[in-house]
Amino acid sequence: MSLTRRGFAALACLSMMATAWAGSPAADSPDTALQAAIAGSQRTPAFTARDGARHPYETLRFFGIRPEMTVVELSPGGGWYTEILAPYLHDKGQLILGADDPQSSNAYRQRSGQRLKEKLAATPAVYGKVQMNVFEVPGRLQYAAPGSADLVLTFRNVHNWIEAGGEPAVTAVFRSAFEALKKGGTFGVVEHRRPAAQAQDEKASSGYVHEAYVIRIAESVGFKLAARSEVNANPKDTADHENGVWALPPTLTNKDKDRERYTAIGESDRMTLRFVKP
């Protein structure tokens, strides 16, 4: 090949790379609306204190969020991400929560669901448009109409679903996300990551999950793995702690035992995976 032809080939390659990069969420111009939602006064101070470990802007951008989307958040817990998603989607989009049932026969789920319901009701200017629907594993997974969502998100919940019903339960949840999404929609997963060399028990009792496990189940229900991000990685986390991931901040369940060491490690190493419904 002549130098001229090599030059043209290189330019063509660079052009294709630039096109691919431009189509990725991170290549867009800054999302000032998302930045404003993250900086907003509606957020709980204890939640914002964790931004350095949870990277909400980078994570949501990686998942390709836009303000006009219909977004489902599964198992929102105390609403850490809900406080960001609700104002961001308020004007143009829709936030649907797949949450615990305030009327659940399970006391823990009842309290969790009631707290979240009260949180939303207390600030209607922020949360008035949010749909709070029941989501309980393994049996109550009809939280959104089929083909209605652009984006389904879950943050550090896969281990809970494993505990609730093992691999069949996780498969059912992932299938429900697949069904809720439009064609071309995205399923975003963040989860505590267990090193491949460490065994994962059937209940994921440490709170850590193999990345390959999540990918395998997602692909088994029809998803395609579109991308992985290391934005929530923590190479200092060895994932072999007494009492599992809860030994680390923010829980520090072992109290004063090895507290300095766990504090120095910081929050867990986490996988961040983007799946697409073909």
Side-chain angles (χ1 to χ4, degrees):
M1 180 182 287
S2 69
L3 178 61
T4 301
R5 288 183 178 178
R6 283 200 298 270
F8 277 122
L11 286 172
C13 181
L14 287 171
S15 177
M16 287 188 291
M17 290 173 64
T19 300
W21 176 247
S24 68
D28 300 335
S29 57
D31 189 333
T32 56
L34 183 56
Q35 291 170 338
I38 292 169
S41 61
Q42 82 286 349
R43 297 191 65 205
T44 302
F47 289 178
T48 60
R50 297 180 65 196
D51 283 0
R54 299 195 66 176
H55 312 101
Y57 181 81
E58 295 83 358
T59 299
L60 291 172
R61 291 279 281 170
F62 173 71
F63 290 142
I65 198 168
R66 298 192 305 275
E68 71 275 12
M69 283 182 164
T70 294
V71 178
V72 175
E73 182 186 4
L74 296 180
S75 295
W80 199 97
Y81 263 99
T82 307
E83 290 186 354
I84 297 169
L85 296 169
Y88 177 72
L89 298 167
H90 183 276
D91 293 342
K92 300 178 183 179
Q94 178 66 60
L95 176 60
I96 300 170
L97 301 181
D100 287 328
D101 184 1
Q103 304 300 320
S104 175
S105 59
N106 179 286
Y108 174 82
R109 291 175 176 176
Q110 183 185 85
R111 290 193 301 271
S112 174
Q114 186 61 35
R115 281 196 299 267
L116 185 60
K117 182 179 179 180
E118 291 172 359
K119 179 187 184 78
L120 302 185
T123 316
V126 177
Y127 304 112
K129 289 183 61 181
V130 176
Q131 292 182 20
M132 180 176 166
N133 297 333
V134 172
F135 168 79
E136 289 191 355
V137 179
R140 305 178 69 183
L141 305 178
Q142 291 75 43
Y143 46 82
S148 63
D150 299 289
L151 180 60
V152 176
L153 299 172
T154 186
F155 303 96
R156 303 173 3 265
N157 290 305
V158 177
H159 63 282
N160 292 321
W161 303 336
I162 296 173
E163 182 182 15
E167 186 168 322
V170 180
T171 302
V173 172
F174 282 23
R175 184 176 292 112
S176 75
F178 189 88
E179 292 171 354
L181 284 165
K182 301 173 182 177
K183 184 176 181 180
T186 295
F187 181 37
V189 180
V190 176
E191 178 57 295
H192 310 294
R193 180 165 48 192
R194 191 166 191 81
Q198 294 180 12
Q200 175 184 309
D201 65 74
E202 291 185 358
K203 293 295 185 179
S205 57
S206 69
Y208 290 96
V209 179
H210 286 153
E211 188 168 311
Y213 175 97
V214 175
I215 294 170
R216 175 174 61 80
I217 295 179
E219 291 180 340
S220 77
V221 303
F223 283 114
K224 301 296 183 184
L225 178 64
R228 316 180 201 208
S229 173
E230 292 300 297
V231 66
N232 293 303
N234 180 1
K236 294 187 290 186
D237 180 15
T238 56
D240 57 356
H241 320 297
E242 179 184 353
N243 291 316
V245 70
W246 300 280
L248 298 177
T251 307
L252 293 168
T253 195
N254 296 331
K255 298 183 179 179
D256 290 334
K257 185 177 180 180
D258 295 324
R259 188 184 188 92
E260 290 185 5
R261 178 165 67 86
Y262 292 133
T263 301
I265 292 171
E267 296 199 22
S268 67
D269 176 56
R270 296 163 189 162
M271 67 185 88
T272 305
L273 305 174
R274 186 171 79 234
F275 298 97
V276 172
K277 178 177 179 177

